[in-house]
Amino acid sequence: MEEFICIACGTQYPPAPEAPAACPICEDPRQYIPPEGQRWTTMAELAAGHANAVRADGDFVGIGTEPSFAIGQRALLVPLGDASLLWDCVSLLDDATAAEVERRGGLAGIAISHPHYYSSMVAWAHRFDCPVHLHAADAEWVMRPDPAIRHWDGEQLDLGGGVTLIRGGGHFPGGTMLHYDGALLTGDIIQVIPDRSHVGFMWSYPNLVPLPEAAVQAIAAAVEPFEFDTIHGAWWGRIVTPDAKRVVRRSAERYGRALRGEL
Ligand SMILES: [Zn+2]
Ligand SMILES: [Zn+2]
């Protein structure tokens, strides 16, 4: 039995004698099946050719796989009590990474912005004996169900210690962001783009399918009650600072003008 991992999106599947016939995350039009077709790996095979870098990314410590694997996101450690909350997740979990996270106090929980970063969340949850907080609106996209997964409903979830999960929706109905100490961690829900004077919003990023204006306004409205000066996107160095809250407002307005042909 093997827990197969999709090479295109990084999602880990439940133990099985053979690789899955398909990856529903990749078959969904928000992701894609590579032109060369669907391919699979395993944790051992991934660890043989990759390692995780654990290093500062802005005000947080990031965990990212090198060379880049699947979608290429990096996770962040958010202080939570004496331990950390893992924000977003990566497919590779090896002994060196686990030891580094343990050295920093271990994990009190995992929270993930949306299904593209569910990756090996269950392996991480088992290793650190902690829950995974996912928005219930995206429950159909959990490919490896497990008792560690705790679905939450509604618009906000207070995890204590100043950490709040915020449902923004948009890219996925349960699209989640995290607010902590003047920072907003956004995954793909609010996208950090090359021009840091603005941010982006899309239904499908790789396939360039936009969101309706109402969905973008809803994302902006969801974060409006929170004070934040900085946004951390989904990849290393994707940081907007200072004045990130004004950047979100300005970008939602520009998006509306673009859809109305007013740019
Ligand atoms: Zn996939
Ligand atoms: Zn995504």
Side-chain angles (χ1 to χ4, degrees):
M1 299 288 267
E2 197 67 72
E3 293 143 0
F4 287 93
I5 296 172
C6 172
I7 285 181
C9 73
T11 302
Q12 187 188 50
Y13 284 75
E18 288 176 31
C23 175
I25 303 277
C26 285
E27 290 191 331
D28 176 73
R30 282 164 285 197
Q31 180 47 21
Y32 58 91
I33 298 168
E36 62 271 25
Q38 198 74 65
R39 292 179 300 137
W40 302 91
T41 188
T42 62
M43 191 66 87
E45 199 176 272
L46 183 58
H50 296 75
N52 283 335
V54 182
R55 57 177 163 85
D57 194 31
D59 296 331
F60 296 90
V61 171
I63 303 174
T65 304
E66 296 179 347
S68 181
F69 175 71
I71 298 174
Q73 78 279 6
R74 56 92 192 88
L76 293 174
L77 294 174
V78 178
L80 185 60
D82 296 334
S84 297
L85 180 88
L86 186 70
W87 168 248
D88 280 334
C89 197
V90 296
S91 300
L92 175 61
L93 174 58
D94 57 10
D95 289 341
T97 307
E100 188 59 35
V101 172
E102 287 292 0
R103 196 179 68 74
R104 296 166 185 272
L107 296 183
I110 300 167
I112 303 181
S113 58
H114 72 294
H116 289 153
Y117 303 150
Y118 286 177
S119 58
S120 296
M121 60 182 176
V122 171
W124 284 79
H126 289 178
R127 181 83 183 221
F128 292 96
D129 192 23
C130 69
V132 186
H133 304 282
L134 303 178
H135 199 280
D138 297 335
E140 66 182 291
W141 298 106
V142 172
M143 296 295 123
R144 187 181 176 187
D146 190 87
I149 295 171
R150 293 188 195 162
H151 280 117
W152 63 282
D153 256 315
E155 302 307 309
Q156 293 175 14
L157 179 67
D158 184 350
L159 291 177
V163 176
T164 308
L165 301 183
I166 306 161
R167 190 192 76 87
H171 180 43
F172 275 82
T176 297
M177 296 169 279
L178 182 151
H179 180 260
Y180 172 78
D181 192 25
L184 189 67
L185 315 187
T186 60
D188 288 352
I189 310 311
I190 293 175
Q191 195 68 253
V192 177
I193 52 180
D195 172 6
R196 300 298 202 264
S197 72
H198 286 78
V199 288
F201 316 88
M202 293 287 266
W203 185 73
S204 172
Y205 292 97
N207 305 319
L208 304 177
V209 184
L211 285 167
E213 186 182 355
V216 172
Q217 299 303 338
I219 294 169
V223 301
E224 189 60 37
F226 295 87
E227 291 309 318
F228 58 96
D229 203 39
T230 302
I231 287 175
H232 289 254
W235 289 271
W236 294 112
R238 297 283 187 104
I239 298 168
V240 174
T241 194
D243 226 11
K245 189 166 177 174
R246 203 187 310 263
V247 168
V248 172
R249 283 187 194 136
R250 180 195 295 149
S251 303
E253 285 164 14
R254 182 176 77 169
Y255 191 100
R257 289 201 306 279
L259 290 189
R260 295 190 299 270
E262 294 171 4
L263 283 188

